[in-house]
Amino acid sequence: MAFLNINATLPEKGRDLRLDLFRGVANWAIFLDHIPDNVVNWITTRNYGFSDAADLFVFISGYTASFVYARMMLERGFIVGATRLTKRVWQLYVAHIILFVIYIASISYLALRFGDSEMINEFNVAGLVDNATETLRQGLFLRFKPLNLDVLPLYIVLMGLFPPVLWFMLRKPDLTMALSIVLWLTARHYGLNLTAYPAGQWYFNPYAWQVLFVFGAWCAMGGARRSMTLINSPITLWLCLAYLAFALVMTMAGRFPTFGGMFPEWLFSAFNPNDKTNLAPYRFLHFVVIVVLVIRFVPKDWPGLEWKVFDPLIVCGQQSLAVFCVGVFLSFVGHFELSMSSGSLFAQLFVSIAGIAIMTTVAYYISWSKKQDKPLKPPPPKPAAAAKAA
């Protein structure tokens, strides 16, 4: 049957350092963005366009999932590929629960220790005071999420539902991408989302954000390669640059009210506030533009990926799950530290640099530790002794 034919183009074997580099960038940026009133987070992309590190994280997650599991699914069958994906989902879930417990325990302790009842409300853990048992149970079902613990549950849901999507993507990549876009737009139109506890909905709407995950998979499965003519077109380049400039202007308009007042209300309100929960079309388009420019100017064999200056980011990207969890917790510590101190410029710089240094140290340690678990390669055999002259 034609439907069973493989029409996707599998990515080349070998590690793509671009994924590690940009995943490291996403982890650092997520850490900085989660610390409010911090001047250092002005270096992250969220201040200069519609999309931010969360978009990058989800996209790379979809790309990597296809990169790792597609070939396994083809060579060893759907069941093996699906079970390996499920194993990864379990790892993500365990990491989330550990982070969840440490996070709420730390918030509760510090709120009690310093008599700061507002901290309970600020970090969305008030339910633990009113109904601790039910709140914890809902946390196990991913419905209760303290502040800044929204990304991993989204990742878990998307990975959990990915096996059939990947099976279909291997056979009909373009149709899969089209159906993902339809689901995204349908969810936006009808307000589809998952409910949260004790009230409200998920901050990252899975029905909408799945389109970034699937877009990453589509790019990995040959979508980017099939689009190279369009990507390398001079017209595409100028359109992309023009859209980035427009996104910068509209984002700055939202950041600075005086500047925003210079634009017509209909134009300003179309982009401000930025609809992150349901992944606004202008946000998705902004990220697509960034992907197009990266593919065009940063090929897989770009020599700059070997520069030593990028090593910390690449290592953080290679140990992404651990670094992400440490970064989320450190962002809470940094937020607390700044709120309890003067919040001076020095304090902001110290908290930001120290946090990134700790994340990087953790990444290097885990990388080193994994190497120690591998058996040592036996030394090469010594050359046979030269035959004695007769």
Side-chain angles (χ1 to χ4, degrees):
M1 294 176 61
F3 180 76
L4 296 179
N5 294 334
I6 303 303
N7 294 309
T9 303
L10 295 183
E12 299 175 0
K13 292 184 177 181
R15 191 140 200 157
D16 189 340
L17 291 180
R18 293 177 302 177
L19 299 177
D20 298 326
L21 174 65
F22 288 113
R23 192 158 43 189
V25 169
N27 278 325
W28 285 14
I30 289 172
F31 161 70
L32 293 173
D33 287 341
H34 283 173
I35 305 176
D37 302 319
N38 178 23
V39 68
V40 182
N41 63 31
W42 271 95
I43 69 173
T44 65
T45 56
R46 72 170 183 176
N47 301 289
Y48 307 103
F50 299 134
S51 62
D52 61 22
D55 307 63
L56 179 59
F57 184 90
V58 173
F59 170 83
I60 292 180
S61 298
Y63 194 110
T64 306
S66 297
F67 189 88
V68 172
Y69 297 104
R71 196 177 303 275
M72 182 185 299
M73 188 173 285
L74 283 178
E75 295 175 351
R76 303 172 63 183
F78 173 79
I79 298 299
V80 172
T83 55
R84 296 309 87 191
L85 274 165
T86 303
K87 179 181 177 181
R88 181 57 175 170
V89 171
W90 175 248
Q91 293 172 342
L92 295 171
Y93 180 76
V94 170
H96 172 71
I97 295 304
I98 294 173
L99 177 61
F100 172 80
V101 171
I102 295 174
Y103 199 77
I104 61 176
S106 301
I107 294 171
S108 301
Y109 170 77
L110 291 174
L112 181 63
R113 173 69 176 79
F114 293 93
D116 188 356
S117 58
E118 282 302 313
M119 184 182 297
I120 298 292
N121 294 319
E122 182 178 1
F123 286 91
N124 192 33
V125 294
L128 289 170
V129 177
D130 303 327
N131 193 349
T133 302
E134 180 62 16
T135 300
L136 290 174
R137 190 178 75 87
Q138 293 295 339
L140 293 176
F141 289 119
L142 306 180
R143 295 186 64 224
F144 169 69
K145 297 180 288 295
L147 182 69
N148 296 335
L149 261 64
D150 302 280
V151 176
L152 267 184
L154 172 69
Y155 189 12
I156 291 168
V157 168
L158 296 179
M159 283 288 285
L161 297 174
F162 192 54
V165 176
L166 180 57
W167 185 91
F168 199 70
M169 174 73 74
L170 286 166
R171 290 153 178 81
K172 298 288 182 179
D174 294 338
L175 178 58
T176 307
M177 187 70 248
L179 292 174
S180 174
I181 293 173
V182 169
L183 175 58
W184 163 51
L185 296 177
T186 301
R188 285 186 53 82
H189 181 75
Y190 291 102
L192 302 178
N193 198 348
L194 298 182
T195 58
Y197 179 86
Q201 297 178 316
W202 280 38
Y203 180 71
F204 291 102
N205 182 351
Y207 294 108
W209 279 77
Q210 54 78 29
V211 76
L212 272 173
F213 193 88
V214 176
F215 178 56
W218 179 81
C219 287
M221 294 292 97
R225 195 175 305 177
R226 293 193 300 274
S227 305
M228 288 307 298
T229 301
L230 178 63
I231 291 173
N232 289 323
S233 167
I235 297 177
T236 301
L237 175 61
W238 286 111
L239 288 175
C240 288
L241 294 177
Y243 190 74
L244 288 182
F246 173 75
L248 172 63
V249 171
M250 286 295 100
T251 302
M252 287 297 168
R255 294 282 188 273
F256 302 100
T258 303
F259 181 58
M262 299 171 59
F263 297 93
E265 176 60 25
W266 63 267
L267 179 61
F268 177 85
S269 60
F271 302 97
N272 292 286
N274 189 328
D275 183 6
K276 188 172 184 176
T277 292
N278 296 306
L279 195 68
Y282 55 80
R283 185 184 182 102
F284 179 58
L285 179 58
H286 182 262
F287 186 78
V288 171
V289 164
I290 293 175
V291 171
V292 166
L293 293 177
V294 169
I295 293 173
R296 179 170 180 147
F297 293 108
V298 188
K300 183 180 180 180
D301 58 353
W302 180 52
L305 294 170
E306 303 291 339
W307 294 350
K308 291 297 182 182
V309 69
F310 290 139
D311 279 357
L313 282 166
I314 289 174
V315 174
C316 284
Q318 290 171 344
Q319 311 303 332
S320 180
L321 179 57
V323 171
F324 174 84
C325 293
V326 170
V328 170
F329 179 73
L330 289 177
S331 66
F332 158 69
V333 175
H335 184 182
F336 176 76
E337 174 64 27
L338 292 180
S339 65
M340 297 300 291
S341 67
S342 62
S344 64
L345 177 60
F346 174 79
Q348 296 170 45
L349 291 171
F350 175 79
V351 163
S352 301
I353 295 173
I356 288 177
I358 294 173
M359 293 163 64
T360 305
T361 301
V362 168
Y364 272 103
Y365 170 75
I366 294 176
S367 180
W368 173 84
S369 180
K370 286 181 177 179
K371 290 178 182 177
Q372 307 317 304
D373 292 335
K374 296 179 181 179
L376 292 174
K377 294 182 179 180
K382 295 181 179 180
K388 294 182 178 180

